[in-house]
Amino acid sequence: MDQHRRDYLRRRYSRLGWGEWLAASVFAFVAAFSLDGVWGALESRAAVWWALMPLLAVLLQAGAYWLAARSWVGAGRMPRALARVFLAVRALNVGLLVISLIGIVATWPGTVLGGLVAIAIWLFAVAEYVNYFVMRIAYRPDRWWRGVRGRRTPQLMLDVREGVTRARPSPPASPPHD
């Protein structure tokens, strides 16, 4: 890969990483401060926070991935240890989604609208998880259907697979036996 392309990808990955972290910060800030009164009126404060938990986790993980990937894009592979961390995080996210859904049900809002908001946030968390760990679903609107039908593997998982399956160094050859 030429240096111009690598520099372009590093800038793009930087924007994606900081963008995901900014999105997580905005969701948390808006939920905590700007709409706190709304959640109270909808009797949905606890359910909304249960729904936000996996969304914030996936956004923070995605941001960390994009920022870390700047170091190897076009020049190498994801380090094996980091690839294993993301494999573990992938499984933990499923558990987090299940636990958060149980939390939403256990603290079900007192209003229908509050329940719909909590479920909508949780479904957005599921979509983000799928987009980063299962199958790419984020495309421009005019290319969305064609993109989703292509069932592309997310870049994060491509890097994880490459990092985990990296060829191990061969052991030194033993001297021939006489």
Side-chain angles (χ1 to χ4, degrees):
M1 176 178 293
D2 70 351
Q3 190 60 38
H4 178 72
R5 175 77 176 151
R6 184 169 192 265
D7 290 343
Y8 165 78
L9 289 173
R10 287 175 48 91
R11 285 189 307 273
R12 183 165 186 243
Y13 284 17
S14 184
R15 285 190 306 270
L16 289 166
W18 288 110
E20 294 294 25
W21 281 0
L22 179 63
S25 300
V26 168
F27 282 125
F29 181 84
V30 167
F33 301 109
S34 298
L35 295 178
D36 193 49
V38 173
W39 307 141
L42 294 175
E43 301 173 28
S44 63
R45 186 174 288 117
V48 164
W49 280 104
W50 277 111
L52 276 170
M53 200 171 36
L55 176 60
L56 296 176
V58 170
L59 290 174
L60 291 173
Q61 294 159 18
Y65 160 71
W66 289 119
L67 292 172
R70 293 176 310 157
S71 68
W72 67 76
V73 65
R77 298 179 186 173
M78 177 185 270
R80 180 177 287 133
L82 186 58
R84 288 182 176 154
V85 166
F86 274 103
L87 276 178
V89 163
R90 179 183 185 192
L92 290 172
N93 285 334
V94 173
L96 186 57
L97 284 163
V98 170
I99 290 168
S100 70
L101 184 58
I102 292 168
I104 292 167
V105 172
T107 60
W108 190 253
T111 64
V112 173
L113 183 56
L116 291 174
V117 168
I119 293 298
I121 294 169
W122 185 82
L123 288 172
F124 186 51
V126 170
E128 286 288 352
Y129 170 78
V130 167
N131 188 56
Y132 277 104
F133 293 97
V134 180
M135 180 181 82
R136 183 173 172 200
I137 59 174
Y139 295 95
R140 290 184 6 201
D142 61 327
R143 296 182 182 168
W144 188 82
W145 185 247
R146 185 177 36 161
V148 170
R149 281 192 342 210
R151 300 185 56 83
R152 288 183 50 201
T153 301
Q155 186 63 47
L156 168 58
M157 294 314 300
L158 292 173
D159 282 353
V160 165
R161 287 179 191 158
E162 191 173 282
V164 169
T165 60
R166 169 189 284 176
R168 293 181 176 87
S170 301
S174 55
H177 296 284
D178 298 296

